[in-house]
Amino acid sequence: MLYSEIADVFDRLERTSGRLEMTSIFSEFFKTLDPDTLRKVVYLSQGKLHPDFCGAELGMADRLVLRSVAFISGMPESRIDELWKKEGDPGTIAETLFKKRKQAALFSEPLTLDKVLRNLTLIENAEGRDSQDKKMKYLSNLLMDSGPTEARYLCRIVTGRMRIGAGSMTILDALADAFGTKEDRPDIERAFNITCDLGLVAETLAAGGVDSVKRMKVAVGSPIKVMLAERLPSVPLILGRMGGRCAMEFKYDGIRIQAHIGGGSVKLYSRRLEDLTSNFPDIAAELRKQCRAEEAIIEGECVAMGPDGSMLPFQNVTHRRKKHGMDQAVEDYPVRMFMFDILLADGEDMTLRPFEERRLKLAETFGLSEKVQLTTLEIVGTPEEGEEFFSRALAVKCEGVMAKSLSSEYRAGSRGFLWIKYKKDYEEALTDSFDLAVVGAFYGRGKRAGKYGALLMAVFDDESGRYCTVCKLGTGFDDAFLAGLPDMLDGYLSEARPSTVDAEMAPDVWFLPTVVLEVVAAEISLSPVHTAAKGAVKEDAGLGLRFPRFTGRVRDDKGPEECTTMSEVLSMYRMQTQDK
Ligand code: AMP
C-alpha cells in the first residue's frame, strides 16, 4: 500500500472539524483495508506504532526533525529555526518547503507503508551515543521520497503530535460504522476499555466481526482503563444514591497503580498506562511474593510513608516518578500499596463480577505484609456510620472516603455513581479541584511581559470528544514556573484554534490540548465567555470558574482525555447551587 493514500486521508481529516464527517472519512477508508493494515493505520493515526502502554516511543525532538528537513530541502537551519519559532509545527514547515522542491520527485520512488513502518521501527529502536544521528538518517531517507503532504505527516508521526483531531472516540465510532452498527458501539468501546489497544480492537473487528470483539477479555500485560468515581457532598446523599447501604473505603492520597502479575513477572502501570515497574521495584517484588494465583490483575494506591509509619501527602510519592536515581528514591521514600480491586484472577475475568465478590477474591488471592495491604473498608448503612468512618479516614491523613456499590461490576474507563468520592474539600470549599487542559496562552504585561502571563484552560467533553473552556488562569504561578512554561507548552503550539477546541475567547497563542494542570476555584458560575456546558443551565451561557488558582500540581499522570469532564463540572455546579 502506498503511504500517500494514508497521508491523503489524514489531510482530509485535518481539514474537517465535525466529528460525524471525520467518522465517515475514517469509516470509508477502514473498509478498504485488510485487518493487519488497518491495525497499523490506526496506530499511525495516533502518531504511534504500538498501543500507548508499550512505552516504546518514536520520540524525535522537533529540532532533530527540522535538521532532517533542512538536510533534504537544502534550506539553511537558521532560516528553518526562524520558521519554527513562528509556526511551532515541523510538519507544516516541511510541507511548505517540500512544495517548492520540484526536482526531487524525478529521482524518488513512491513510499510504501511497509517502508515507512520499517524506517519508523529503526527510529524507535535507535540506541547508543549516535542514536540521534541514526534517527535523523532514517527520517531523511523517508523524506527524500516524500511529497509535501507525506512529509507533513511523517514529521508529525515521529514527534507524536498528529494534529488531525481524531481521538480514540472518533476511531471507535468509525469502526462501528465500518464493521457493525450503532448498537455495537458499546461492545466495541468495552473491548477498547479492557485492552487499551485500539489497533487490536480494529483488527479483531475487521477479521472476525462484532462477535470476536465481544469475546475479548482482560489479559495480563494489557492494561485496563480505570474505573472512576463521581462526587457527592455528603454521606446522606451518597447513601441515598446507593440504596441505603454501600461499602466505604479510605481514599488514600497517592498514585493509582494497576499491577499485572503473571508469567513469573510483575508489571505496574499508572492510570495513564505508563510502565512504572522500575519506579516501584519494591512493590513489584512484594506483590509477586504475596500473590497466591498464577495470574492476577489488581489495583491499589501507592502511598508514601513517613518514618513513624504515618501516611504522607501525594507530593512525597511523586519522588518515585523520577527517571534517574531510582535506587536512592526507593530508599528515601518508602511506600505502601493499599489494594482495592481485582480484575483478573487465574484466568477468570473478574470485571463483570459484583464488587463484593471481587473484594473477597482480592483478600483470598493475596497474603498481606507491611508493604502490601488492603484498603480499610467498612459496610455502611447509616449516615452516622458513614460520618464516623469519614472522620477516621481524615485522622490517618487520607483525603476522604470512596463509597462503592456492593453489587456493581468494574466499569472500565467509565465515571459514574457506582463509585462516589467524598473529600474534606467538599465540606469546606464546596468544590473539588479540577484537572484542566491548557488550550491557549495570553502574553503577560508588566513583570510578565514577553512571557506567558495567563493560560486558557478547558474541560473535556467525553461525549463529543471536544475541549471547552472554563477559565483564564493567571494565579498561583511562581516565577520559576512561568519561566518554564514555554518549554512545557511550545511543543504543542498550534497555528490556529485546534479543531477539537470550542472557545469564544481568543488567546495570543493556541495549544493542542496536552498538558493538564490542577486548579482550584471559589465557585462555578454562569459565564458569557466560556463554552463548557453552554446552554445546559441557561441559554447563551456556559460555566466558568471564579477565582481560579493553579495548585502547583502539573498532572503529568493524566492525559487530556482524563481531565475533568464537562458533565462533572455541570454536576458540581448543580451540587453547589443545591447547597446554597
Ligand atoms: P480523583 O483522582 O479525585 O478522581 O479520585 C479517584 C482516585 O482516588 C483514584 O483514581 C485512585 O487513585 C484514588 N483512590 C484512593 N483510594 C482509593 C480507593 N479506596 N478506591 C479507589 N480509588 C482510590
Side-chain angles (χ1 to χ4, degrees), residues 49 58 115-127 131 134-135 137-139 141:
L49 293 182
L58 290 155
K115 169 149 188 205
V116 167
L117 292 174
R118 222 171 19 248
N119 275 33
L120 292 178
T121 307
L122 289 168
I123 290 175
E124 188 178 80
N125 296 335
E127 272 180 349
S131 65
K134 283 191 208 152
K135 287 183 185 213
K137 190 179 91 191
Y138 300 132
L139 177 62
N141 181 262

mmCIF file of all heavy atoms in Angstrom, residues 49 58 115-127 131 134-135 137-139 141:
data_model
loop_
_atom_site.group_PDB
_atom_site.id
_atom_site.type_symbol
_atom_site.label_atom_id
_atom_site.label_comp_id
_atom_site.label_asym_id
_atom_site.label_seq_id
_atom_site.Cartn_x
_atom_site.Cartn_y
_atom_site.Cartn_z
ATOM 1 N N LEU A 49 3.349 3.587 16.722
ATOM 2 C CA LEU A 49 3.499 2.298 16.034
ATOM 3 C C LEU A 49 2.851 1.170 16.834
ATOM 4 O O LEU A 49 2.682 0.064 16.331
ATOM 5 C CB LEU A 49 4.982 1.935 15.882
ATOM 6 C CG LEU A 49 5.840 2.788 14.963
ATOM 7 C CD1 LEU A 49 7.258 2.242 14.918
ATOM 8 C CD2 LEU A 49 5.245 2.777 13.561
ATOM 9 N N LEU A 58 8.560 6.902 19.404
ATOM 10 C CA LEU A 58 9.420 7.396 18.330
ATOM 11 C C LEU A 58 10.198 8.590 18.852
ATOM 12 O O LEU A 58 11.381 8.747 18.563
ATOM 13 C CB LEU A 58 8.567 7.775 17.125
ATOM 14 C CG LEU A 58 7.973 6.551 16.432
ATOM 15 C CD1 LEU A 58 6.716 6.908 15.677
ATOM 16 C CD2 LEU A 58 9.003 5.950 15.500
ATOM 17 N N LYS A 115 7.690 0.428 3.829
ATOM 18 C CA LYS A 115 8.980 1.111 4.002
ATOM 19 C C LYS A 115 8.880 2.129 5.145
ATOM 20 O O LYS A 115 9.799 2.255 5.960
ATOM 21 C CB LYS A 115 9.402 1.793 2.701
ATOM 22 C CG LYS A 115 10.574 2.711 2.925
ATOM 23 C CD LYS A 115 11.504 2.871 1.778
ATOM 24 C CE LYS A 115 12.714 3.656 2.248
ATOM 25 N NZ LYS A 115 13.407 4.371 1.230
ATOM 26 N N VAL A 116 7.754 2.838 5.202
ATOM 27 C CA VAL A 116 7.584 3.818 6.285
ATOM 28 C C VAL A 116 7.666 3.108 7.634
ATOM 29 O O VAL A 116 8.392 3.525 8.539
ATOM 30 C CB VAL A 116 6.236 4.570 6.125
ATOM 31 C CG1 VAL A 116 5.892 5.357 7.375
ATOM 32 C CG2 VAL A 116 6.290 5.484 4.912
ATOM 33 N N LEU A 117 6.970 1.994 7.748
ATOM 34 C CA LEU A 117 6.970 1.289 9.039
ATOM 35 C C LEU A 117 8.352 0.741 9.376
ATOM 36 O O LEU A 117 8.770 0.760 10.531
ATOM 37 C CB LEU A 117 5.934 0.156 9.021
ATOM 38 C CG LEU A 117 4.473 0.625 8.972
ATOM 39 C CD1 LEU A 117 3.534 -0.566 8.805
ATOM 40 C CD2 LEU A 117 4.103 1.400 10.237
ATOM 41 N N ARG A 118 9.053 0.281 8.338
ATOM 42 C CA ARG A 118 10.400 -0.258 8.570
ATOM 43 C C ARG A 118 11.309 0.833 9.146
ATOM 44 O O ARG A 118 11.967 0.645 10.148
ATOM 45 C CB ARG A 118 10.965 -0.773 7.248
ATOM 46 C CG ARG A 118 11.690 -2.078 7.408
ATOM 47 C CD ARG A 118 12.095 -2.767 6.121
ATOM 48 N NE ARG A 118 12.154 -2.000 4.907
ATOM 49 C CZ ARG A 118 11.318 -2.163 3.874
ATOM 50 N NH1 ARG A 118 10.332 -3.042 3.943
ATOM 51 N NH2 ARG A 118 11.460 -1.455 2.767
ATOM 52 N N ASN A 119 11.294 1.989 8.499
ATOM 53 C CA ASN A 119 12.178 3.058 8.977
ATOM 54 C C ASN A 119 11.733 3.606 10.331
ATOM 55 O O ASN A 119 12.568 3.943 11.170
ATOM 56 C CB ASN A 119 12.235 4.196 7.955
ATOM 57 C CG ASN A 119 13.268 3.923 6.893
ATOM 58 O OD1 ASN A 119 13.488 2.769 6.533
ATOM 59 N ND2 ASN A 119 13.934 4.956 6.400
ATOM 60 N N LEU A 120 10.434 3.686 10.531
ATOM 61 C CA LEU A 120 9.958 4.177 11.835
ATOM 62 C C LEU A 120 10.405 3.218 12.941
ATOM 63 O O LEU A 120 10.763 3.631 14.041
ATOM 64 C CB LEU A 120 8.440 4.340 11.846
ATOM 65 C CG LEU A 120 7.871 5.465 10.957
ATOM 66 C CD1 LEU A 120 6.342 5.478 11.027
ATOM 67 C CD2 LEU A 120 8.409 6.832 11.363
ATOM 68 N N THR A 121 10.383 1.930 12.650
ATOM 69 C CA THR A 121 10.832 0.958 13.648
ATOM 70 C C THR A 121 12.319 1.145 13.933
ATOM 71 O O THR A 121 12.761 1.066 15.082
ATOM 72 C CB THR A 121 10.548 -0.485 13.156
ATOM 73 O OG1 THR A 121 9.178 -0.556 12.792
ATOM 74 C CG2 THR A 121 10.856 -1.523 14.209
ATOM 75 N N LEU A 122 13.090 1.431 12.878
ATOM 76 C CA LEU A 122 14.521 1.690 13.092
ATOM 77 C C LEU A 122 14.709 2.937 13.960
ATOM 78 O O LEU A 122 15.555 2.971 14.849
ATOM 79 C CB LEU A 122 15.224 1.889 11.741
ATOM 80 C CG LEU A 122 15.379 0.613 10.897
ATOM 81 C CD1 LEU A 122 15.808 0.962 9.469
ATOM 82 C CD2 LEU A 122 16.398 -0.328 11.537
ATOM 83 N N ILE A 123 13.879 3.943 13.720
ATOM 84 C CA ILE A 123 13.968 5.173 14.532
ATOM 85 C C ILE A 123 13.662 4.842 15.995
ATOM 86 O O ILE A 123 14.366 5.242 16.914
ATOM 87 C CB ILE A 123 12.984 6.247 14.000
ATOM 88 C CG1 ILE A 123 13.466 6.761 12.643
ATOM 89 C CG2 ILE A 123 12.820 7.394 14.992
ATOM 90 C CD1 ILE A 123 12.538 7.741 11.952
ATOM 91 N N GLU A 124 12.608 4.049 16.166
ATOM 92 C CA GLU A 124 12.208 3.697 17.533
ATOM 93 C C GLU A 124 13.307 2.922 18.260
ATOM 94 O O GLU A 124 13.526 3.103 19.458
ATOM 95 C CB GLU A 124 10.942 2.849 17.450
ATOM 96 C CG GLU A 124 10.298 2.553 18.755
ATOM 97 C CD GLU A 124 9.033 1.759 18.530
ATOM 98 O OE1 GLU A 124 9.119 0.527 18.319
ATOM 99 O OE2 GLU A 124 7.965 2.374 18.528
ATOM 100 N N ASN A 125 14.004 2.066 17.526
ATOM 101 C CA ASN A 125 14.992 1.206 18.180
ATOM 102 C C ASN A 125 16.391 1.799 18.226
ATOM 103 O O ASN A 125 17.294 1.165 18.778
ATOM 104 C CB ASN A 125 15.068 -0.152 17.466
ATOM 105 C CG ASN A 125 13.755 -0.898 17.597
ATOM 106 O OD1 ASN A 125 13.000 -0.668 18.539
ATOM 107 N ND2 ASN A 125 13.457 -1.772 16.651
ATOM 108 N N ALA A 126 16.589 2.970 17.629
ATOM 109 C CA ALA A 126 17.946 3.540 17.585
ATOM 110 C C ALA A 126 18.467 3.767 18.999
ATOM 111 O O ALA A 126 17.781 4.363 19.829
ATOM 112 C CB ALA A 126 17.933 4.855 16.801
ATOM 113 N N GLU A 127 19.648 3.267 19.251
ATOM 114 C CA GLU A 127 20.223 3.361 20.596
ATOM 115 C C GLU A 127 21.669 3.817 20.509
ATOM 116 O O GLU A 127 22.251 3.824 19.433
ATOM 117 C CB GLU A 127 20.201 1.978 21.249
ATOM 118 C CG GLU A 127 18.919 1.689 21.975
ATOM 119 C CD GLU A 127 18.928 0.304 22.601
ATOM 120 O OE1 GLU A 127 19.834 -0.500 22.306
ATOM 121 O OE2 GLU A 127 18.032 0.058 23.377
ATOM 122 N N SER A 131 22.618 7.702 18.492
ATOM 123 C CA SER A 131 21.215 7.393 18.185
ATOM 124 C C SER A 131 20.508 8.568 17.481
ATOM 125 O O SER A 131 19.699 8.356 16.588
ATOM 126 C CB SER A 131 20.458 7.005 19.455
ATOM 127 O OG SER A 131 20.397 8.107 20.317
ATOM 128 N N LYS A 134 21.381 8.574 13.895
ATOM 129 C CA LYS A 134 20.714 7.459 13.197
ATOM 130 C C LYS A 134 19.262 7.809 12.917
ATOM 131 O O LYS A 134 18.753 7.623 11.819
ATOM 132 C CB LYS A 134 20.763 6.197 14.067
ATOM 133 C CG LYS A 134 22.101 5.495 14.070
ATOM 134 C CD LYS A 134 21.915 4.132 14.750
ATOM 135 C CE LYS A 134 23.162 3.646 15.411
ATOM 136 N NZ LYS A 134 22.936 2.772 16.547
ATOM 137 N N LYS A 135 18.594 8.369 13.927
ATOM 138 C CA LYS A 135 17.172 8.720 13.748
ATOM 139 C C LYS A 135 17.027 9.701 12.588
ATOM 140 O O LYS A 135 16.117 9.593 11.760
ATOM 141 C CB LYS A 135 16.610 9.360 15.025
ATOM 142 C CG LYS A 135 16.399 8.357 16.140
ATOM 143 C CD LYS A 135 15.770 9.011 17.354
ATOM 144 C CE LYS A 135 15.699 8.003 18.492
ATOM 145 N NZ LYS A 135 14.584 8.130 19.360
ATOM 146 N N LYS A 137 18.972 10.084 10.116
ATOM 147 C CA LYS A 137 19.264 9.424 8.836
ATOM 148 C C LYS A 137 18.018 8.653 8.336
ATOM 149 O O LYS A 137 17.630 8.771 7.182
ATOM 150 C CB LYS A 137 20.437 8.453 9.054
ATOM 151 C CG LYS A 137 20.996 7.894 7.773
ATOM 152 C CD LYS A 137 22.158 6.957 8.054
ATOM 153 C CE LYS A 137 21.652 5.539 8.214
ATOM 154 N NZ LYS A 137 22.569 4.582 8.721
ATOM 155 N N TYR A 138 17.374 7.905 9.238
ATOM 156 C CA TYR A 138 16.222 7.112 8.809
ATOM 157 C C TYR A 138 15.059 8.016 8.387
ATOM 158 O O TYR A 138 14.329 7.713 7.449
ATOM 159 C CB TYR A 138 15.755 6.168 9.936
ATOM 160 C CG TYR A 138 16.816 5.190 10.364
ATOM 161 C CD1 TYR A 138 17.104 4.996 11.721
ATOM 162 C CD2 TYR A 138 17.541 4.462 9.432
ATOM 163 C CE1 TYR A 138 18.078 4.112 12.127
ATOM 164 C CE2 TYR A 138 18.520 3.576 9.833
ATOM 165 C CZ TYR A 138 18.792 3.401 11.184
ATOM 166 O OH TYR A 138 19.766 2.530 11.574
ATOM 167 N N LEU A 139 14.891 9.116 9.108
ATOM 168 C CA LEU A 139 13.806 10.033 8.729
ATOM 169 C C LEU A 139 14.128 10.690 7.389
ATOM 170 O O LEU A 139 13.275 10.770 6.500
ATOM 171 C CB LEU A 139 13.591 11.092 9.822
ATOM 172 C CG LEU A 139 12.521 12.145 9.498
ATOM 173 C CD1 LEU A 139 11.148 11.501 9.323
ATOM 174 C CD2 LEU A 139 12.436 13.218 10.602
ATOM 175 N N ASN A 141 15.856 9.594 5.029
ATOM 176 C CA ASN A 141 15.681 8.602 3.980
ATOM 177 C C ASN A 141 14.215 8.526 3.519
ATOM 178 O O ASN A 141 13.932 8.357 2.335
ATOM 179 C CB ASN A 141 16.164 7.264 4.550
ATOM 180 C CG ASN A 141 16.058 6.152 3.559
ATOM 181 O OD1 ASN A 141 15.099 5.401 3.594
ATOM 182 N ND2 ASN A 141 17.018 6.065 2.652
#
